[in-house]
Amino acid sequence: MSVDGLGTATTETETDEPGWEVDPDDDWALAVVATVGRQLRLRREAVGMRAADFAVAAGYGEDLVYKVESGKRIPRPEYLDTADALLDAGGLISAMKEDVKRVRYPKKVRDLAKMEARAVELQLYDPVNIHGLLQTPSYAQTLFRMRRPRYPEEEIERGVAARMARKAVFERESAPELSFVQDEWTLRRRLGGTMVVRQQLEHLLEVGRLPNVEIQVMPMDREEHAGVDGGIEVLKFEDGTAVGRSPGLASGRPVTDPRQLRILELRYGIIRGQALTPRESAAFIEQLLGET
């Protein structure tokens, strides 16, 4: 949690909130965070400021300062900006925000985002929830809050931020072709309440108007449904390679074998054929919005 100003005292609960734990299995993140922490400590010592004094001046707990400087905690951008000002670093500490930004999200999310950033075509079917790339922050937050056992607040915030960061795929200069199929029931669930659902439906309509995006709805009254084996993800790249994943194939592990990819594409093609067209789907979502 950020503070209102320099010198503001924090409670013990707030002490641990302005950063995230480092994944002990993420070697790259560990190295980056350790380097950032060491630079912070060296700069603080160079100006003759004790950790306890820095903590009071910055408005953070002393325990957090030690965790950041020892590489056990990923500092948030505002922490680095505050440190830059207090330690008179002339922007050198604030500049480390770019390094920290690359490791603030879990490794599996970073790896997925990298693949999405390279893809020229994405075929995506999620039978459980509205797909992550289509979620609003409030809808994503609602989903994270539903997890059991419950996530700590900082993990919810981190998860939502990571999910929203992936939406950069829509802003790429050479944006990929994106195809989504959503089961009707995922749109009808009232997760988070009326306002959350309305915002989510409005966002689907907005994204669906993009020239490179097609959103289709699979109605609940269909007597045939090729997606009974679970969700499907197929990402295609410029060099002709692809990667896919589905719970019903290879136990959900990513696959690159052409034969397995053809199975996924066959299933996805049938699902699209069984679903409403993009135009029909937009009209359907507008109708749901009117009923919400």
Side-chain angles (χ1 to χ4, degrees):
M1 180 183 299
S2 61
V3 292
D4 294 330
L6 299 182
T8 304
T10 61
T11 66
E12 187 172 349
T13 300
E14 290 174 309
T15 295
D16 284 340
E17 290 190 353
W20 300 276
E21 295 289 346
V22 187
D23 182 350
D25 296 322
D26 190 345
D27 292 339
W28 186 50
L30 287 169
V32 170
V33 177
T35 299
V36 170
R38 184 166 56 251
Q39 292 301 317
L40 284 166
R41 178 177 57 80
L42 292 173
R43 183 69 190 182
R44 175 178 58 75
E45 292 175 347
V47 299
M49 183 179 288
R50 296 184 307 141
D53 296 331
F54 174 83
V56 171
Y60 294 125
E62 186 176 351
D63 183 56
L64 173 69
V65 174
Y66 283 121
K67 285 182 178 179
V68 169
E69 292 186 357
S70 63
K72 296 178 181 178
R73 198 80 169 173
I74 304 174
R76 295 192 184 188
E78 57 267 27
Y79 182 100
L80 296 175
D81 285 335
T82 298
D84 193 278
L86 286 174
L87 303 179
D88 194 24
L92 293 177
I93 293 178
S94 290
M96 292 191 290
K97 288 189 292 186
E98 287 303 310
D99 298 313
V100 173
K101 181 180 179 181
R102 297 187 179 96
V103 299
R104 66 176 291 193
Y105 307 125
K107 183 177 185 299
K108 62 180 181 180
V109 176
R110 297 201 311 268
D111 291 344
L112 178 58
K114 287 179 182 178
M115 287 196 295
E116 290 171 344
R118 291 195 300 113
V120 295
E121 182 180 352
L122 293 88
Q123 300 174 336
L124 305 164
Y125 166 60
D126 189 339
V128 180
N129 299 303
I130 293 172
H131 193 277
L133 289 177
L134 295 175
Q135 293 174 12
T136 62
S138 56
Y139 182 90
Q141 185 181 71
T142 296
L143 290 182
F144 278 107
R145 290 191 186 282
M146 298 289 177
R147 300 283 181 88
R148 297 294 184 274
R150 294 180 182 274
Y151 280 12
E153 284 299 312
E154 66 176 63
E155 287 303 313
I156 292 175
E157 181 181 346
R158 188 184 189 192
V160 172
R163 190 160 294 178
M164 294 305 105
R166 287 174 52 205
K167 293 167 76 71
V169 69
F170 293 104
E171 303 167 3
R172 280 170 40 189
E173 186 173 338
S174 54
E177 295 295 319
L178 294 109
S179 169
F180 298 90
V181 178
Q182 289 291 154
D183 277 312
E184 176 185 342
W185 80 280
T186 66
L187 307 180
R188 287 190 176 277
R189 285 194 303 173
R190 292 298 184 259
L191 292 179
T194 300
M195 289 306 300
V196 169
V197 174
R198 285 191 61 84
Q199 291 172 0
Q200 181 61 68
L201 294 176
E202 289 170 351
H203 182 65
L204 290 177
L205 291 171
E206 180 182 353
V207 174
R209 296 188 191 103
L210 296 174
N212 60 311
V213 177
E214 289 189 342
I215 299 175
Q216 294 180 250
V217 176
M218 174 69 80
M220 291 191 294
D221 63 3
R222 290 291 193 258
E223 296 182 0
E224 295 184 350
H225 192 334
V228 293
D229 282 336
I232 294 175
E233 299 177 0
V234 177
L235 280 65
K236 299 182 180 181
F237 307 107
E238 192 171 11
D239 61 3
T241 61
V243 62
R245 186 175 62 175
S246 174
L249 187 69
S251 301
R253 296 188 302 274
V255 298
T256 57
D257 176 69
R259 189 183 71 83
Q260 293 177 314
L261 287 170
R262 281 197 296 273
I263 293 174
L264 290 182
E265 290 200 74
L266 172 64
R267 290 180 186 170
Y268 190 76
I270 296 174
I271 292 171
R272 291 193 67 184
Q274 294 168 334
L276 299 176
T277 67
R279 185 182 297 273
E280 293 169 338
S281 298
F284 184 84
I285 295 172
E286 287 178 347
Q287 179 182 335
L288 283 181
L289 182 60
E291 297 171 357
T292 302

